[in-house]
Amino acid sequence: MATTKFYLDTRGQKSVAGYPLKLAINHKSKTALIPLVTKLEINQWDQKKEKVVKHPEQSKINLYISTLRQQVSTAILNLACQENINQLSATDIKQYIDITLNPEKKDELEKIMLLSNKKEEIISEFETVKKHLEKLSQNVHDIRKKYAEGFEK
């Protein structure tokens, strides 16, 4: 099951407005990040509580974070109910959430879901082709061996 966490990304160089707040989506030991519009100073973010502190608009930003957390959780639960979530990567879930939060991207969502459904189909076809190639390779090896044996006699 995918999990989410809000965090202040202090890895890069600080901009004038502060460090970017991001939403991390963890799934199958991989992480995908959704950057948020909020930028904060290090002392304005409580990492344990995942809340803004000591900021002039902390109430507004915390409400935004809370609302976003609820929307993202709902999107992840919808995926889990559809039983598609185990076939998806963290990046697929990120794209699904992005489109869920931005309905104008619905056509894009349908393409992503179609591709993720075809992923299993493509892997299956690849395995079939691989088996045929291995069999063909063995046949070529047998023919070469019989051909070489003809010279030894």
Side-chain angles (χ1 to χ4, degrees):
M1 183 70 149
T3 60
T4 60
K5 181 178 181 172
F6 289 88
Y7 83 103
L8 192 62
D9 190 358
T10 58
R11 296 175 299 169
Q13 193 171 22
K14 179 179 135 181
S15 73
V16 176
Y19 294 101
L21 187 62
K22 295 186 178 183
L23 172 63
I25 299 163
N26 302 302
H27 184 63
K28 294 183 179 179
S29 302
K30 301 286 182 188
T31 302
L33 302 172
I34 297 178
L36 307 177
V37 295
T38 306
K39 294 190 185 277
L40 303 167
E41 298 293 331
I42 293 173
N43 67 343
Q44 294 175 326
W45 179 247
D46 183 335
Q47 185 176 340
K48 289 182 183 177
K49 294 181 181 179
E50 296 182 28
K51 290 191 174 197
V52 175
V53 294
K54 301 177 188 170
H55 188 281
E57 296 188 21
Q58 77 182 46
S59 296
K60 269 188 202 177
I61 298 170
N62 284 330
L63 181 60
Y64 165 70
I65 291 169
S66 179
T67 303
L68 189 59
R69 179 180 280 123
Q70 185 178 10
Q71 290 172 334
V72 169
S73 294
T74 301
I76 290 172
L77 284 172
N78 286 340
L79 280 176
C81 290
Q82 294 171 10
E83 298 180 24
N84 287 344
I85 201 160
N86 292 328
Q87 297 174 4
L88 301 176
S89 68
T91 303
D92 293 334
I93 294 170
K94 170 193 168 184
Q95 291 170 336
Y96 177 84
I97 289 169
D98 185 36
I99 292 165
T100 301
L101 298 175
N102 302 296
E104 66 275 7
K105 296 181 180 178
K106 188 175 181 196
D107 291 340
E108 201 175 321
L109 170 64
E110 290 170 356
K111 289 176 189 173
I112 290 168
M113 296 307 287
L114 178 64
L115 289 175
S116 67
N117 289 339
K118 287 194 173 201
K119 201 183 298 185
E120 295 297 320
E121 212 175 293
I122 291 167
I123 290 170
S124 175
E125 287 180 32
F126 173 78
E127 292 297 327
T128 302
V129 170
K130 182 179 171 187
K131 286 177 186 173
H132 287 300
L133 287 174
E134 287 169 351
K135 188 174 180 180
L136 180 61
S137 176
Q138 184 61 44
N139 289 344
V140 169
H141 176 72
D142 292 346
I143 292 169
R144 285 183 179 162
K145 186 176 177 182
K146 286 180 184 177
Y147 183 73
E149 288 173 355
F151 283 107
E152 293 175 1
K153 293 181 181 180

